[in-house]
Amino acid sequence: MSRAASSRPSDLPMRVQDTNRMSMVYTTPQSKQPSFGKLSMAKPSSVTSERRTSFFGARSGAGMPRNSTMSGFGGTEKIKDARPLHDKSFVQQCIRQLHEFLTEQNYPGTLSTKTLQSPSTKEFVKMFEFIYRQLDPTFEMPNSKVEEEVPAILKALRYPFVLSKCSMYSVGAPHTWPQALVALMWLIDNVKQELLFSDFCEDSNNIEEGPEYNRLFLDYTSETYAKFMQFEDSFDDEDDAFLTKLKKLYNVDEPLLAAMEEKHQILSAEVERLEKESQTDRLMTKRMERVKLQADLKKLQSYRSSLDTFMTNLENKDSELNDELENTVGHLETLKHERNELQVLLQNQKFTPADVERINREKRELQQTISSLSESLENAEQHKWNEEIALAKLKEKAELKLTEYHKLARKLKLIPQTAENACGHDFEIRLFESGSTVQHKSQIQMLLRKLISDVEEENSRLSNLKLSLEESNEQVNSNIMDKSNDLKQIKEQIRKLDERLDCDMQELAREEQEWAAEMESVENHRKLLEKKVNFGYDEAVQQLKAAQQQYHLVLQEANEERRTVANNLASVFTTAANHLSITEVSFKCVCIE
């Protein structure tokens, strides 16, 4: 029996620890629906099935407040969503898990990670229908009002958070897709839990439908309800006793349960560790490492290719040096042979002192010639260097002047050739250009003179235009003065009209005050009449009540008199009848005698 159905109010806090105190391993397999602490399906069920699931699932019995506005699931309190919906790594992790689940379950539609980044409402409804069919194969999504159907199904499944109907119109938006995505992940967790325990629940006998379970549960309910009616909120002893009886009824193996619980703790720790590792995005880390290794591999390959090129160059240089060495050795042998021949020739040749003196004199003359030529060469090179320096200075000055010219020409919009004042002519001067500089200069001067004459003509035309505009301006100013005088007259008329309007408004205000006073007097007169009418009505009502009371008194007296008359008549009739019977008896006796 649900404690929420009681009418006795209570302000005690909700004790959800009673439901959390039981471990998942103590739950009982069922053939229809496992109650391993997970949320039950929102299907129409009997009172017996609701009673069964309330003990192991969202129990509303012992340990919860009576007539409270809060409940274990689906209460009026809005639970704050602590999941990091705005964390991109968390969203990407959920998208990968959704993609893996849909791939494993053979999702019929087109599926890719890019589509899951921002799916349309139609795609979201298809995925939701596919996942929900894992729980209920007979489910069919209606063609209309799917925006209302999906939140209603999640609410019926006791989804702890609110998925608004408005968010279903734009599921793929950045601010709504994370909420819809985590709702799908919650539904996938339920599907995985259903698949995990489906094999275990298929072959089990439906013991909870039998009389043993019903008797135990009725005993437990009666005991807890009796304590509940005595204003007790703690049912720990009854819970322990009921759990012990259930263990005996289901032949629970305690060592196996302990081993399963220890295994569950180990698996939970492993899952938590894997979740922490997955939050660091190991795949992205491995991809970065792969990119780094690929970069290192490319560097090594390039270094290896450079080494191979360097080795090839060294081999080529080695072969060239070997060839050069062979040529040098051959040339050396030739020079040795020539030196030997010259030595032999020198030994065989005989010079006279006149020949030696003549050779020395020629040698000195040649040396003097070489020194004079060297000095002339140095002088020529120095002169060339001085001329180059002077040319560079002249070139720098010319470039400065040319830069100033080009700057002034750009200000005057003469450069480039397509400028406004260029008129299709090229006013740009280029240094060291082929052609005569004087001819180019005369051409530019002629164009500039023509441009100056055009500018002077335009200036004179603009001056004449300025004079005409000044005359027009003076005329306009005189018109403005006339209009300002007219405006002053109009303002004076407006002021007079405003004063007249103020007078009229004051008159209207005075009339309104008079009307208000008259209305107030009429209202007072109406209230007085209403008071008199009410007073007369009250008197009439009192008279009516008095008449009714008098009528009831008269009616009561009449009834009393009628009752008295009836009693008197009854006694008279009784006396007459008795007398008649006595007379008959006496008459019979007389006749007999």
Side-chain angles (χ1 to χ4, degrees):
M1 182 179 295
S2 175
R3 294 183 57 191
S6 176
S7 61
R8 185 171 69 89
S10 175
D11 295 332
L12 295 174
M14 182 176 60
R15 296 205 317 247
V16 294
Q17 62 268 22
D18 287 346
T19 56
N20 297 329
R21 184 169 57 85
M22 299 182 182
S23 175
M24 289 174 61
V25 296
Y26 292 106
T27 55
T28 305
Q30 304 173 11
S31 60
K32 292 181 181 179
Q33 191 174 354
S35 58
F36 292 85
K38 84 180 189 69
L39 303 178
S40 60
M41 294 285 295
K43 296 179 181 178
S45 58
S46 63
V47 178
T48 308
S49 63
E50 183 180 358
R51 171 178 50 75
R52 274 191 293 110
T53 56
S54 65
F55 178 74
F56 294 99
R59 186 161 65 98
S60 61
M64 291 195 178
R66 297 176 289 275
N67 194 17
S68 174
T69 58
M70 297 173 62
S71 60
F73 298 97
T76 58
E77 181 186 8
K78 291 186 178 179
I79 304 173
K80 184 178 181 182
D81 196 349
R83 294 170 294 186
L85 300 180
H86 301 289
D87 189 0
K88 291 184 179 179
S89 60
F90 174 75
V91 174
Q92 293 301 322
Q93 178 186 353
C94 292
I95 289 174
R96 286 195 298 271
Q97 292 177 1
L98 176 61
H99 185 270
E100 291 174 0
F101 177 80
L102 294 176
T103 308
E104 290 173 0
Q105 299 299 325
N106 299 322
Y107 178 65
T110 57
L111 194 64
S112 65
T113 312
K114 187 176 181 181
T115 1
L116 295 178
Q117 296 294 332
S118 59
S120 61
T121 305
K122 187 176 180 182
E123 294 172 348
F124 173 78
V125 170
K126 284 185 179 179
M127 289 187 289
F128 182 85
E129 182 181 4
F130 176 77
I131 297 171
Y132 189 73
R133 277 186 179 177
Q134 306 297 320
L135 296 174
D136 185 7
T138 61
F139 173 73
E140 290 291 339
M141 180 67 74
N143 295 327
S144 62
K145 294 185 178 180
V146 291
E147 294 82 6
E148 300 178 1
E149 187 71 20
V150 172
I153 293 174
L154 289 173
K155 185 177 180 181
L157 289 175
R158 295 181 181 178
Y159 180 58
F161 308 104
V162 178
L163 187 64
S164 63
K165 184 172 66 176
C166 300
S167 61
M168 297 302 300
Y169 292 101
S170 57
V171 176
H175 61 282
T176 55
W177 171 232
Q179 298 178 2
L181 177 61
V182 295
L184 288 179
M185 296 309 299
W186 181 86
L187 188 59
I188 286 173
D189 291 339
N190 283 344
V191 171
K192 288 181 179 178
Q193 194 172 0
E194 183 78 18
L195 295 175
L196 179 64
F197 295 106
S198 60
D199 296 334
F200 180 68
C201 298
E202 283 177 357
D203 299 330
S204 63
N205 295 324
N206 194 3
I207 301 174
E208 293 188 1
E209 296 293 340
E212 294 85 358
Y213 176 80
N214 293 334
R215 180 177 56 80
L216 289 176
F217 188 79
L218 286 174
D219 293 340
Y220 166 76
T221 307
S222 61
E223 291 174 4
T224 53
Y225 185 70
K227 294 185 70 175
F228 170 77
M229 295 305 294
Q230 295 175 2
F231 299 95
E232 294 186 12
D233 288 326
S234 178
F235 307 99
D236 295 337
D237 297 337
E238 285 76 8
D239 290 346
D240 296 337
F242 183 60
L243 187 60
T244 306
K245 292 177 183 178
L246 285 179
K247 289 179 181 178
K248 289 181 181 179
L249 179 62
Y250 299 141
N251 297 323
V252 176
D253 190 359
E254 293 288 346
L256 178 62
L257 289 178
M260 289 176 66
E261 188 171 2
E262 184 178 358
K263 186 177 180 181
H264 177 262
Q265 292 177 358
I266 294 171
L267 291 175
S268 299
E270 183 69 19
V271 168
E272 186 177 357
R273 184 183 63 81
L274 291 175
E275 286 179 354
K276 289 181 179 179
E277 290 181 357
S278 64
Q279 287 179 0
T280 58
D281 202 352
R282 292 187 301 165
L283 180 61
M284 188 60 67
T285 307
K286 295 297 182 184
R287 286 177 178 172
M288 294 298 294
E289 290 179 358
R290 187 184 69 178
V291 170
K292 290 180 181 179
L293 291 175
Q294 287 178 353
D296 294 339
L297 179 62
K298 288 181 180 179
K299 289 180 181 179
L300 288 174
Q301 289 176 353
S302 62
Y303 181 68
R304 180 181 175 183
S305 61
S306 62
L307 285 178
D308 292 340
T309 307
F310 183 68
M311 288 295 294
T312 306
N313 293 333
L314 287 179
E315 290 176 356
N316 294 331
K317 287 182 180 180
D318 184 51
S319 60
E320 291 176 359
L321 289 174
N322 288 330
D323 295 338
E324 187 176 356
L325 181 60
E326 291 177 359
N327 295 330
T328 306
V329 169
H331 185 60
L332 181 62
E333 292 296 333
T334 306
L335 290 176
K336 286 181 179 179
H337 183 66
E338 289 181 355
R339 187 189 64 178
N340 293 330
E341 289 180 353
L342 289 173
Q343 285 180 354
V344 171
L345 181 61
L346 181 60
Q347 291 175 359
N348 295 328
Q349 187 178 5
K350 294 180 179 179
F351 290 98
T352 59
D355 294 333
V356 173
E357 186 178 357
R358 181 177 53 79
I359 290 171
N360 290 331
R361 187 175 59 254
E362 289 179 356
K363 180 181 178 181
R364 285 194 295 272
E365 289 177 356
L366 290 173
Q367 287 178 351
Q368 290 177 359
T369 306
I370 289 170
S371 61
S372 62
L373 290 174
S374 299
E375 187 177 357
S376 301
L377 180 60
E378 289 177 359
N379 294 330
E381 288 179 352
Q382 184 66 27
H383 182 69
K384 178 185 175 183
W385 174 251
N386 295 331
E387 292 293 333
E388 287 179 354
I389 290 173
L391 180 62
K393 289 180 180 180
L394 291 174
K395 184 178 178 181
E396 185 177 357
K397 291 180 181 179
E399 287 178 352
L400 289 174
K401 291 183 178 181
L402 185 62
T403 304
E404 292 177 357
Y405 167 75
H406 286 165
K407 186 176 180 181
L408 182 60
R410 286 190 180 91
K411 280 185 178 180
L412 297 174
K413 297 181 181 181
L414 297 174
I415 295 176
Q417 193 171 356
T418 58
E420 182 180 353
N421 298 328
C423 301
H425 301 294
D426 188 10
F427 289 94
E428 187 175 359
I429 299 176
R430 299 172 183 84
L431 287 176
F432 311 107
E433 193 180 38
S434 60
S436 175
T437 307
V438 177
Q439 183 180 0
H440 191 62
K441 181 180 178 182
S442 61
Q443 184 179 359
I444 290 175
Q445 286 178 352
M446 183 178 63
L447 293 173
L448 286 174
R449 288 193 189 97
K450 183 180 179 182
L451 183 62
I452 288 169
S453 63
D454 294 340
V455 168
E456 287 177 351
E457 290 178 359
E458 184 69 19
N459 191 14
S460 63
R461 187 181 65 80
L462 291 175
S463 298
N464 297 328
L465 181 61
K466 180 183 176 182
L467 293 173
S468 63
L469 289 174
E470 285 178 354
E471 292 177 356
S472 302
N473 188 20
E474 289 177 357
Q475 187 177 0
V476 169
N477 288 332
S478 64
N479 294 332
I480 289 172
M481 290 297 293
D482 296 338
K483 295 297 180 181
S484 62
N485 295 329
D486 296 339
L487 183 61
K488 286 179 181 179
Q489 294 177 0
I490 293 171
K491 285 182 178 180
E492 185 66 23
Q493 293 177 1
I494 291 172
R495 186 181 62 79
K496 291 179 181 179
L497 290 174
D498 289 337
E499 290 177 355
R500 186 181 301 174
L501 179 62
D502 292 337
C503 294
D504 294 340
M505 292 296 291
Q506 290 176 1
E507 184 69 25
L508 287 174
R510 187 167 57 257
E511 290 179 358
E512 286 180 357
Q513 289 178 358
E514 293 176 357
W515 293 342
E518 187 176 356
M519 286 294 293
E520 187 176 358
S521 64
V522 170
E523 184 68 22
N524 293 331
H525 184 62
R526 186 188 65 80
K527 288 181 179 178
L528 182 60
L529 291 176
E530 186 178 356
K531 186 176 180 182
K532 290 180 179 180
V533 168
N534 290 333
F535 180 74
Y537 175 74
D538 292 338
E539 286 182 353
V541 169
Q542 289 178 359
Q543 291 175 3
L544 177 63
K545 287 182 179 179
Q548 287 178 351
Q549 290 177 358
Q550 187 176 3
Y551 168 73
H552 287 304
L553 289 173
V554 171
L555 183 63
Q556 188 176 2
E557 291 175 357
N559 291 332
E560 188 69 27
E561 290 177 358
R562 191 182 294 111
R563 192 181 302 110
T564 305
V565 170
N567 292 333
N568 293 333
L569 287 174
S571 63
V572 169
F573 287 151
T574 303
T575 305
N578 292 334
H579 178 70
L580 184 60
S581 64
I582 292 170
T583 303
E584 287 179 355
V585 170
S586 299
F587 182 74
K588 286 179 181 179
C589 289
V590 170
C591 290
I592 292 171
E593 290 179 356

